[in-house]
Amino acid sequence: MTKFFASSKLLMLLLALTAVSFTSCDDDDDEILGIDLGDDGVLVLSSNTSGLVGVVDVEDSPLEIETFTAAGMDSDGIFYRDSDDIVYQVNRSNNTLVSYEDVLDDMDEDDGVQVESESSSDFTNGRGLAVVGRQYVVAQDASDANNNTNGFVIYEDTNDDGLNRLRTFTTSINTWGLQYIGDDMYAVVDNSDSIAIFNDFFGNADNATIEPDSYIRIDGLVRTHGIQYDEDEDIMILTDVGDADSDSDGALFIIKNFSSFNGTTATAADYTKISGNNTLLGNPVDVDYDEDTDRIYVAERKRDGGLLLVFSANDTGDVAPTSSLEFAGISALWLNRD
């Protein structure tokens, strides 16, 4: 009798461990078409022409792009929240913010990835997306469709109510890429060589008109779009699209020890620069940085219809990317690291 109960307990323990093992794989580690996708090291991509969302496991070698259908053909800013397996995306086709649920779990399902929530339409010509907790800030760039109004629209995502608008700000600067650093919003000033800093950004009331508290100009930069700051490595990376009609004059500006910079103009003594024909940089519209591998991921919009390019943060000058993958209409990207 003692042996029977001991054997039963052992069998139950083995079954429990097996169940935990399978549950772990389902939640965090999905194999899609032979590619092992885990939430640590997931790079998500937007397109403004293809109607697809790209997903890359940056731990794979070589890199490969898997896709699922987006809510609109034209999209921009994007973010992946690994704790919920949700992708948030600026849908320029409908002028809304969209969330997709169970992304890694459902990419290999027959029904594919589904929209979880969609906001009301509160902006036109949306561009960058910044995320602070459960609040999502969409940059609106001036255009004829919005009466040449630049601004920011803030949404909140709650489990019960989905995506709801909280506040809208207007501003005089042309907007594009965004990143929240500390208590301040750093915003690319489109059509310029500068970034603007809005102090205590969330302290403003709904429908307020806000102006930058300060600017940083990058000497030698023509027209910036993408912005990425990594606090742990203290590195700021800005993209330069140059002439929008050229597919060969793009650049990356890399400022290390950024927190030590206290001037108003960054010169060649403050940054390193990646540019030249070998780089394939024409219109780099967005950028992200992987502190684990020291890689820079770039959304190159102009060259070959759209490319995902990868560089080292230690690269400088006219260097070829370590990887180049086609992704039509690539307009934005975001890297998740646990």
Side-chain angles (χ1 to χ4, degrees):
M1 185 67 70
T2 303
K3 289 183 179 180
F4 173 77
F5 278 110
S7 298
S8 298
K9 290 180 180 179
L10 178 59
L11 178 60
M12 292 173 66
L13 178 60
L14 289 173
L15 288 172
L17 289 173
T18 302
V20 170
S21 175
F22 277 114
T23 301
S24 177
C25 289
D26 287 342
D27 289 343
D28 298 315
D29 204 10
D30 294 317
E31 188 168 301
I32 301 171
L33 299 179
I35 300 174
D36 195 28
L37 281 175
D39 57 13
D40 183 29
V42 167
L43 180 70
V44 288
L45 316 173
S46 276
S47 167
N48 57 23
T49 62
S50 71
L52 297 173
V53 177
V55 181
V56 181
D57 185 343
V58 299
E59 300 296 335
D60 282 346
S61 182
L63 298 178
E64 295 186 51
I65 301 174
E66 295 301 319
T67 62
F68 65 87
T69 302
M73 291 296 294
D74 184 358
S75 302
D76 208 296
I78 193 167
F79 170 78
Y80 175 68
R81 185 180 295 282
D82 63 335
S83 59
D84 301 317
D85 194 20
I86 294 176
V87 166
Y88 296 84
Q89 186 179 49
V90 176
N91 179 356
R92 288 168 45 83
S93 296
N94 296 334
N95 298 316
T96 57
L97 182 64
V98 176
S99 66
Y100 305 91
E101 62 182 347
D102 300 327
V103 173
L104 298 189
D105 281 342
D106 289 351
M107 282 186 68
D108 56 349
E109 297 295 327
D110 292 340
D111 293 336
V113 176
Q114 302 295 311
V115 171
E116 178 189 53
S117 180
E118 186 165 12
S119 73
S120 53
S121 179
D122 307 295
F123 59 83
T124 306
N125 199 31
R127 293 298 182 184
L129 177 66
V131 180
V132 184
R134 292 285 176 174
Q135 297 189 18
Y136 304 82
V137 184
V138 177
Q140 173 177 286
D141 195 22
S143 69
D144 291 341
N146 57 35
N147 296 316
N148 291 308
T149 302
N150 297 291
F152 310 96
V153 182
I154 305 173
Y155 295 92
E156 185 175 42
D157 184 21
T158 64
N159 294 330
D160 296 329
D161 300 327
L163 290 162
N164 293 302
R165 189 196 72 85
L166 287 181
R167 279 169 283 178
T168 299
F169 307 147
T170 57
T171 187
S172 63
I173 68 165
N174 291 112
T175 61
W176 204 284
L178 301 173
Q179 185 165 2
Y180 197 69
I181 303 173
D183 294 322
D184 307 326
M185 185 66 75
Y186 283 61
V188 160
V189 184
D190 189 21
N191 303 305
S192 84
D193 58 2
S194 301
I195 54 176
I197 303 167
F198 296 85
N199 297 339
D200 190 23
F201 180 80
F202 286 99
N204 295 287
D206 188 19
N207 297 316
T209 297
I210 62 175
E211 297 300 333
D213 294 280
S214 59
Y215 293 88
I216 299 176
R217 176 178 170 269
I218 315 300
D219 187 40
L221 192 153
V222 177
R223 182 184 179 187
T224 190
H225 265 32
I227 179 172
Q228 177 61 35
Y229 175 68
D230 184 275
E231 184 176 6
D232 290 339
E233 296 298 318
D234 197 16
I235 183 172
M236 172 69 82
I237 305 171
L238 299 167
T239 73
D240 183 2
V241 300
D243 182 347
D245 294 326
S246 172
D247 67 357
S248 61
D249 67 344
L252 302 178
F253 287 75
I254 304 165
I255 306 174
K256 297 184 178 181
N257 301 313
F258 180 74
S259 63
S260 300
F261 178 80
N262 55 14
T264 58
T265 301
T267 67
D270 301 304
Y271 61 72
T272 57
K273 180 180 177 182
I274 299 174
S275 65
N277 192 59
N278 289 327
T279 67
L280 304 181
L281 294 169
N283 282 187
V285 291
D286 202 7
V287 63
D288 210 332
Y289 171 74
D290 186 353
E291 66 176 74
D292 288 3
T293 62
D294 216 27
R295 289 176 178 171
I296 299 172
Y297 294 91
V298 181
E300 165 50 45
R301 180 60 187 84
K302 189 73 171 180
R303 186 70 71 99
D304 297 334
L307 297 172
L308 169 63
L309 303 178
V310 185
F311 297 91
S312 166
N314 294 316
D315 286 341
T316 185
D318 188 9
V319 296
T322 57
S323 296
S324 172
L325 292 82
E326 294 184 359
F327 189 69
I330 188 170
S331 55
L333 49 75
W334 195 88
L335 174 67
N336 175 72
R337 277 296 190 189
D338 289 345

